Amino acid sequence: MKKLTKRQWIIAGGVAIFIVGIGLYFLFRSPSEAVYTTDRVDRGTITQTVEASGTLDVMENLDLSFETSGLLGSVLVKEGDFVQKGDLLVSLKALDLEADYRRAEEALRIADAQLALQIAGVSDEALAVSYAQVGVANAALFSAQIDEQNTSLSTSATLEDAKIRLDEAESTYADTVARDNQSIAESQENLLLSMKNAMNDVRSALSACDQILGIENTMVNDEFDDVLSNMDSLALQNAVDSFSEAREARDEIEEQIFSLTSESGIDEMITLESKAMDLMGLVEDTLLYTRQVLDATTLETASFSMADLAAFKTSIDTTRGSFSATQSSFQTYRLAYESTILASETNENSASYGLLLAQQAVRSAELDASSRMASAGAAVALREADLASAQASYDQLRAEPRFVDLEPYYADVDRAAADVDASLARLQKAQIIAPMGGIVTDIAGDLGEQIMAGAKVVELQSADDQFMITIDIPEADIVKVSKGDLASITFDAFGSDIEVMGSVSTVSASAKQIEGVVYYEVTILIPDNSQLDLRSGLSTDVTITTDEKIDVLNIPQRAVLERTDGTKYVRILDGNDYQEVDVTVGIRADGGVIEILNGLSEGETFILSTTKK
């Protein structure tokens, strides 16, 4: 082994010392400390907006539609009527929505009354009222239970009726298919017999022509072949060519036709009957040309007289007449067969459509029954909760009310008010209210007709100058936008300090792609502002207020973290460490903040970010 030099020993020792030093540094160094950036839970008003740009247009006609689907229940205007902004024009059948709205109003009144009673304190009258509330809640529960029973009976009857109609539709479909198959089989049998008879007549007709032309049997016309068609050689050539073409067509399909049976397919039958029809046309031409050959024959021979010629003419004429009758009969059976097939397809399509409608009716009845029973069950549960709440309120009325005791009642009022707003919003989606003054120019739909969400129902022509802006909202934001949302509009021409307020008039249900991104079209309706010289084509910036929460807890969105199971949490300082607190969040608002529904309290300190020291 080669010995290391002194210089190499020095280098190797230095490298070893460096490696050992690095190891000792990482082994004995102090662990880095985490530095936390914190913030406090705030309470205030947060707003959620969506921004877009568009171009101002003068609106002459406005298409109005429902935001939900249903049966058209009332039409309060007619074409040519002048309406004012805010007038109710048409509405869907929305008895359930109206009932929900009335129940929500009733719940709000009850919540207000209960809060007032708590604030007023205990009295004999209050006790009596509270006791009466228990009775009202009990009656409401009983009514809800009766409604649930009636709903069960009604939906069961509807579903049973739909199933009976389905059974009838299935029977009708089966009968139609069987009847049509029988008709097709009978018509096919007739056509098959006619086609085979026609082929026999084809062979007979060509044989009659060959008795004169001598093509297949070359010796049959030896006695007059020299004088045949002596006045017109072209007629003879036409007859020979036509005979050859007809014979070739006959040989192509004759065996196939005679091999057809009642079990043969429709496509094969139609193909061969079409070819047979073409063949009969060729045979008809051959008979005609053969007659012309006889007409062009004027000479006699020792063994062929004019009487013989006349006999041939009579024979050909007779054959032509007979063959024409064959063609007519075949055409009759052919058309009858094709008509039977067409009628069968029509009948089966009609029966199939009826069956499909019946199946859809059963599915619709099942879904309706499930939905209505769920709604009725929820109503019973709600009334049970109302009764329990009323009873608890009565039991606790003797206690001196504290602020903490009043908090649930304030919450009940807020919740009931929110339910009223939500139920009113759902009800308004089933109504079309004039967003401007104008003239009704068109009403689409009849009473009781199914109307789809987004489909035009009323066309309104602006009576005054009315402006609109069409903007494109990306799919990530479109779920936030609703009809009626307020919109702040600025114009490049007037500067960002001047705003005009408008509202969302329509939200398109169909998407479109712009440079590979999915957008939805939204129409903003704005009134004419006499202080501004508005005109079509002005560039605009639109800010739609999609939600606003007043006096709610909120923190920056980046402070909310999410686990793999989807639960969200916030880190709360705990000495030099932290603990994870689960939170429920609400809307994501402008400014990068998010609403906290529960899990945190106002002023509580949380960790915003972490860095290493």
Side-chain angles (χ1 to χ4, degrees), residues 77-91:
V77 293
K78 61 181 182 298
E79 293 182 15
D81 283 356
F82 180 82
V83 297
Q84 299 288 347
K85 179 180 179 181
D87 287 350
L88 177 61
L89 306 181
V90 294
S91 64

Side-chain angles (χ1 to χ4, degrees), residues 223-231 296-301 304:
E223 296 177 350
F224 53 88
D225 185 41
D226 293 340
V227 298
L228 193 61
S229 194
N230 64 290
M231 296 296 294
T297 302
T298 59
L299 296 178
E300 295 180 296
T301 66
F304 180 72

Side-chain angles (χ1 to χ4, degrees), residues 94-105 383 423 427:
L95 297 180
D96 292 343
L97 297 179
E98 292 173 358
D100 288 345
Y101 179 60
R102 288 194 297 271
R103 283 194 291 266
E105 286 186 314
R383 293 312 178 192
S423 60
L427 180 59

Side-chain angles (χ1 to χ4, degrees), residues 180-340:
D180 288 343
N181 287 342
Q182 179 64 29
S183 297
I184 291 175
E186 292 174 356
S187 181
Q188 181 167 321
E189 189 66 30
N190 292 334
L191 177 60
L192 185 59
L193 181 59
S194 176
M195 196 183 305
K196 292 179 179 179
N197 289 337
M199 291 306 300
N200 289 329
D201 290 347
V202 163
R203 183 167 286 278
S204 296
L206 289 179
S207 178
C209 293
D210 194 49
Q211 290 294 318
I212 298 169
L213 301 176
I215 297 174
E216 289 186 321
N217 188 351
T218 56
M219 295 185 298
V220 74
N221 66 344
D222 286 348
E223 296 177 350
F224 53 88
D225 185 41
D226 293 340
V227 298
L228 193 61
S229 194
N230 64 290
M231 296 296 294
D232 187 357
S233 60
L234 181 59
L236 179 59
Q237 185 60 48
N238 288 339
V240 170
D241 292 343
S242 181
F243 182 92
S244 299
E245 187 177 357
R247 179 178 58 181
E248 182 179 353
R250 178 199 65 192
D251 294 343
E252 176 187 353
I253 66 172
E254 186 175 36
E255 183 177 351
Q256 298 179 52
I257 289 176
F258 279 104
S259 65
L260 288 173
T261 67
S262 58
E263 303 300 324
S264 298
I266 291 176
D267 292 341
E268 184 181 10
M269 286 290 298
I270 291 178
T271 299
L272 288 177
E273 57 94 1
S274 178
K275 290 183 177 181
M277 198 66 197
D278 294 339
L279 169 60
M280 294 176 76
L282 292 174
V283 172
E284 183 181 23
D285 291 343
T286 302
L287 287 167
L288 175 62
Y289 291 142
T290 302
R291 184 63 169 82
Q292 291 175 351
V293 165
L294 295 175
D295 291 339
T297 302
T298 59
L299 296 178
E300 295 180 296
T301 66
S303 58
F304 180 72
S305 65
M306 288 297 105
D308 295 329
L309 178 62
F312 276 128
K313 288 181 179 181
T314 300
S315 175
I316 288 297
D317 289 342
T318 300
T319 302
R320 289 180 66 191
S322 174
F323 193 75
S324 177
T326 298
Q327 284 182 294
S328 177
S329 175
F330 177 74
Q331 181 70 353
T332 298
Y333 285 115
R334 177 192 183 204
L335 293 176
Y337 179 66
E338 293 177 354
S339 297
T340 301

Side-chain angles (χ1 to χ4, degrees), residues 55-64 82-86 433-439 460-470 489 491 500-505 523-530 532-537:
T55 303
L56 188 68
D57 289 319
V58 175
M59 185 181 62
E60 295 180 356
N61 292 307
L62 179 64
D63 292 339
L64 305 179
F82 180 82
V83 297
Q84 299 288 347
K85 179 180 179 181
I433 297 174
M436 64 178 186
I439 299 173
L460 189 61
Q461 178 178 328
S462 174
D464 303 313
D465 287 338
Q466 189 77 40
F467 294 92
M468 62 179 286
I469 304 168
T470 301
I489 304 147
F491 302 86
V500 172
M501 296 305 296
S503 62
V504 175
S505 174
T523 302
I524 306 298
L525 187 64
I526 62 174
D528 178 30
N529 190 325
S530 58
L532 298 178
D533 183 18
L534 298 183
R535 60 188 65 187
S536 180

